Amino acid sequence: KRVTYDSDATSSACRELAYFFTTGIVVSAFGLPVVLARVDVIKWGACGLVLAGNAVIFLTIQGFFLVFGRGDDFSWEQW
């Protein structure tokens, strides 16, 4: 993300670290059930249920930030 041509002054190390950890959590939340299903630790039905639940949870969190994250004095984007 830091390798861009426009010099964004609002970019900070804390925000970049948060993006990194968030990406790791989301990728592992979707990747780990698939890996466990492929090695027959869990069944594919359980894998599908976990993936559907993850999609609902992450879309709900994203929707919250899209709806309530703008237009206030306190903004989540200050970080």
Side-chain angles (χ1 to χ4, degrees):
K1 177 124 174 110
R2 282 188 179 265
V3 184
T4 58
Y5 291 107
D6 57 338
S7 60
D8 188 12
T10 61
S11 180
S12 68
C14 184
R15 180 179 291 190
E16 300 295 329
L17 185 64
Y19 286 153
F20 177 77
F21 284 138
T22 302
T23 303
I25 290 169
V26 171
V27 167
S28 67
F30 286 103
L32 187 61
V34 173
V35 169
L36 291 175
R38 292 217 9 117
V39 296
D40 291 331
V41 174
I42 62 173
K43 297 187 181 196
W44 281 102
C47 177
L49 187 63
V50 169
L51 293 178
N54 285 340
V56 168
I57 289 170
F58 289 129
L59 289 174
T60 302
I61 293 170
Q62 183 183 14
F64 173 81
F65 282 110
L66 289 176
V67 171
F68 296 111
R70 307 213 189 269
D72 290 338
D73 291 335
F74 176 77
S75 177
W76 298 104
E77 298 174 352
Q78 291 176 359
W79 302 1

